[in-house]
Amino acid sequence: MEKIGIIDLGSNSARLVIVNLFADNYFMVVDELKESVRLGQDMERDGFLKPQRVAETIKTLKMFRKLCDASGVTRIIAVATAAVRRAKNQRSFLDEIQANCGIKIRVLTAEEEAVYVYRGVINTMDVPKGIILEIGGGSTKIVYYNRRNIINHATLPFGAVTLTGLFSEDGLKPEEQALKIEEFFTEQLKQIEWINEVDPEVQMIGVGGSFRNLFKISKMVHKYPLDTVHNYTMLAEDFMPVYDMIKVLDLDKKKKIKGLSSERADILPAALALIKSFVTFFNFDRFIMSGAGLREGIMFNQALPITEEKPISDVLTYSLTTLVKYYGCDEKHVEHVVNLSIQLFKQLRVLHKFPRQYLKVLKVAATLHDCGQRIKFYNHQRHSCYMILNANLYGVSHRDMVLAAFTACCHKKEDINNYDWARYRDILSEDDIEIVRRLGVMLRIAESLDRSMSGTIKSINCDILGDSVIMKTEVDGDAALEIRDAMTACSEFKKSFHKNLEIL
């Protein structure tokens, strides 16, 4: 295993993530550090990075270096974006960092930056056709892709920091400044040659710190139960009240808003004005937020170099495999339980009548059903539920993730009413309780059929006859333990499917 540090020096903030690279092309973030350096502030006047900003950046990078050394990082990959890319004193700035911090920074071209953002998104989201809006401090990236290939991209030379500076005219009210930014950005969009060729069915994906802050505010407003920004969907009708509230406030009042970072309070209105303009221009009724962007694009390229040529074909499976390895689950047992669960889902379809999308839910639950043992064996199904709800899980919607967590909880005899189902009422419905119970019974039987974790039962075949389901097993060895354990689920099976269960 190799431990690397990735430094992203942006116009607004500097970020360090420390990543473990596993030998078999997987990775896991194990630490991070962020500082607001405002490197791009006041650059629009003369194009030079200001001495105070440079000093603050060097101080921050020294801290990053210290953490890397203390953490056993063997390699640092440091990149800089818009502010450094445009700076007239770029060379002296980079030399000063090299001399004081021992860190060599590579300045990304606008195209490289856009491609890294795209790779971070495409390898973590199951959205086949999208347009990415990434709002940085000193630039704004727009990436249009279809069938997991980039069609077009554009980098506009302004971001939340630079726009805040450009439109902070004396005498203008905050809402007037926001309106001017909206109008300005709309005109810039119209000048992008390919913008009118975008498929009207495309989905909008938001990337960057402003979207993460917007999620935190929305979470507070709606009492959203999950802490995961990745794959969070926000309706335009929910975005507008937040924007209308923030754009009229002065700085002191903005800093008091719950969920809004005080370091971002002054520049968030500009970012929200860009989002408003973008949503209106394309007439989007919603957008999805991505917690992955440029840094994740670099991580994927380091852990899985093939992603420089083509994206991961199955985002969810790659993500699940990463967690299985990280949690130390028995990989052969996991694979066998997943296969048996899928067989049950398909063979009992005439009874449950679930659409194919629920197979994804069952796959997540079956893969991670035992991960809670990393905390404690007893009641590990409850720990598995919690870990799924809080995992860095890619390629799955929030609703499916919650369903999978409760399904995993049911792989032992567990009444899901013991959990605060009402807490997730904005994500799930009362009808979903029965879905979870049925998926949970299938998972419980599948896990029982590999009770000895030896793969004794190779496959199953279900015959539905009258009021019974006859489950025939194909075995290699003595399967008495497995069949006995699976039969303990008969009562739950009958409650869920209204059929008696026999296992042969």
Side-chain angles (χ1 to χ4, degrees):
M1 183 180 70
E2 182 185 13
K3 185 171 285 188
I4 65 170
I6 298 173
I7 294 174
D8 171 14
L9 184 55
S11 303
N12 179 52
S13 60
R15 288 179 178 268
L16 163 69
V17 288
I18 296 177
V19 184
N20 281 345
L21 298 181
F22 307 136
D24 39 6
N25 302 120
Y26 296 91
F27 68 89
M28 183 65 67
V29 173
V30 294
D31 205 349
E32 72 168 353
L33 193 60
K34 176 207 167 191
E35 289 292 324
S36 178
V37 294
R38 292 290 172 91
L39 192 57
Q41 192 166 300
D42 300 327
M43 266 191 69
E44 64 274 5
R45 298 176 187 173
D46 54 12
F48 282 87
L49 300 170
K50 299 301 176 284
Q52 182 184 351
R53 302 292 101 208
V54 171
E56 187 65 31
T57 300
I58 290 175
K59 178 182 175 183
T60 295
L61 292 177
K62 283 181 177 179
M63 287 194 298
F64 287 1
R65 181 80 213 205
K66 181 178 181 179
L67 183 58
C68 285
D69 292 342
S71 302
V73 167
T74 57
R75 186 161 52 98
I76 295 176
I77 301 165
V79 298
T81 54
V84 182
R85 186 164 58 236
R86 293 200 298 268
K88 293 179 180 178
N89 55 339
Q90 177 192 117
R91 186 69 266 159
S92 62
F93 171 69
L94 297 177
D95 289 343
E96 192 172 353
I97 289 175
Q98 176 82 59
N100 284 277
C101 310
I103 298 173
K104 185 177 182 179
I105 294 182
R106 182 165 73 92
V107 181
L108 299 179
T109 66
E111 181 176 6
E112 286 174 326
E113 188 179 353
V115 169
Y116 274 131
V117 170
Y118 164 75
R119 288 174 183 164
V121 169
I122 202 65
N123 289 307
T124 61
M125 301 188 84
D126 189 13
V127 179
K129 186 190 305 181
I131 187 163
I132 302 166
L133 175 66
E134 199 264 9
I135 303 172
S139 67
T140 299
K141 275 76 67 183
I142 302 169
V143 183
Y144 170 43
Y145 71 89
N146 193 0
R147 296 181 179 178
R148 303 175 68 78
N149 289 298
I150 293 181
I151 305 299
N152 272 306
H153 63 85
T155 298
L156 304 176
F158 51 79
V161 173
T162 49
L163 286 175
T164 299
L166 284 170
F167 288 91
S168 57
E169 299 176 17
D170 293 337
L172 281 181
K173 296 179 180 179
E175 60 266 36
E176 292 173 334
Q177 293 177 21
L179 181 58
K180 280 185 172 291
I181 293 173
E182 283 184 49
E183 294 171 347
F184 171 76
F185 186 49
T186 300
E187 288 304 312
Q188 297 299 310
L189 286 175
K190 291 177 181 177
Q191 294 176 31
I192 299 174
E193 293 181 358
W194 51 265
I195 205 73
N196 292 321
E197 299 171 8
V198 173
D199 190 320
E201 296 182 358
V202 76
Q203 295 189 66
M204 174 184 166
I205 300 168
V207 179
S210 296
F211 282 100
R212 289 191 292 272
N213 239 227
L214 181 57
F215 164 74
K216 291 177 183 178
I217 295 170
S218 182
K219 174 181 166 61
M220 297 292 291
V221 170
H222 297 285
K223 295 181 173 58
Y224 193 69
L226 297 180
D227 291 324
T228 306
V229 62
H230 194 71
N231 261 321
Y232 178 72
T233 298
M234 189 169 197
L235 299 176
E237 63 186 40
D238 291 332
F239 165 75
M240 286 307 303
V242 175
Y243 176 49
D244 290 339
M245 171 189 68
I246 290 177
K247 72 180 182 182
V248 301
L249 299 178
D250 59 33
L251 183 57
D252 288 339
K253 290 181 179 178
K254 284 198 284 281
K255 287 182 176 180
K256 295 177 181 178
I257 296 175
K258 291 183 178 180
L260 176 52
S261 167
S262 59
E263 296 175 348
R264 195 175 288 272
D266 59 333
I267 63 172
L268 186 62
L272 297 184
L274 295 188
I275 297 171
K276 163 62 165 56
S277 173
F278 201 76
V279 167
T280 302
F281 186 87
F282 286 102
N283 197 30
F284 289 123
D285 63 352
R286 67 192 64 210
F287 52 87
I288 310 168
M289 298 184 192
S290 171
L294 182 145
R295 292 178 296 280
E296 286 72 19
I298 295 174
M299 292 177 209
F300 276 102
N301 286 178
Q302 292 296 314
L304 196 61
I306 190 65
T307 54
E308 294 186 17
E309 301 173 11
K310 61 180 181 179
I312 293 168
S313 58
D314 188 341
V315 170
L316 177 59
T317 296
Y318 179 87
S319 180
L320 287 171
T321 305
T322 299
L323 293 173
V324 165
K325 292 178 180 295
Y326 184 68
Y327 292 144
C329 303
D330 186 300
E331 294 184 42
K332 288 186 178 179
H333 174 63
V334 165
E335 182 180 3
H336 205 53
V337 172
V338 170
N339 287 337
L340 291 172
S341 297
I342 292 172
Q343 289 180 45
L344 279 169
F345 184 92
K346 292 179 177 179
Q347 293 182 33
L348 297 177
R349 182 171 279 148
V350 67
L351 296 181
H352 62 67
K353 299 177 182 177
F354 295 153
R356 185 174 177 80
Q357 73 184 73
Y358 289 106
L359 191 56
K360 179 185 286 189
V361 173
L362 185 57
K363 179 180 178 179
V364 173
T367 303
L368 299 176
H369 72 281
D370 272 345
C371 68
Q373 290 190 24
R374 182 160 180 144
I375 297 176
K376 186 176 67 174
F377 171 77
Y378 296 106
N379 292 320
H380 69 265
Q381 71 276 8
R382 300 185 184 184
H383 304 313
S384 296
C385 177
Y386 172 85
M387 291 167 77
I388 293 171
L389 287 172
N390 292 276
N392 201 26
L393 192 55
Y394 296 141
V396 63
S397 69
H398 283 196
R399 180 177 183 274
D400 287 351
M401 187 165 66
V402 176
L403 287 173
F406 282 118
T407 299
C409 193
C410 291
H411 89 274
K412 297 294 184 184
K413 189 173 182 180
E414 183 78 43
D415 186 353
I416 60 174
N417 287 322
N418 292 335
Y419 286 82
D420 189 6
W421 185 270
R423 186 183 176 206
Y424 300 92
R425 63 184 179 275
D426 292 335
I427 301 176
L428 304 178
S429 67
E430 287 300 316
D431 293 339
D432 290 327
I433 293 179
E434 190 58 37
I435 292 172
V436 166
R437 285 184 174 140
R438 289 187 173 189
L439 292 176
V441 169
M442 286 187 267
L443 174 56
R444 181 179 172 188
I445 293 171
E447 203 231 6
S448 293
L449 293 178
D450 194 38
R451 186 66 176 83
S452 64
M453 302 174 74
S454 60
T456 299
I457 294 180
K458 301 300 180 184
S459 65
I460 51 179
N461 184 54
C462 297
D463 290 328
I464 301 170
L465 304 172
D467 62 354
S468 298
V469 172
I470 312 299
M471 189 179 297
K472 300 173 184 175
T473 61
E474 180 187 337
V475 303
D476 182 10
D478 182 5
L481 169 63
E482 281 75 14
I483 292 175
R484 179 184 177 281
D485 204 65
M487 288 296 291
T488 63
C490 286
S491 61
E492 283 78 17
F493 186 89
K494 186 168 185 177
K495 286 179 184 177
S496 294
F497 293 101
H498 311 295
K499 300 283 183 182
N500 296 313
L501 176 64
E502 295 182 43
I503 305 176
L504 307 175

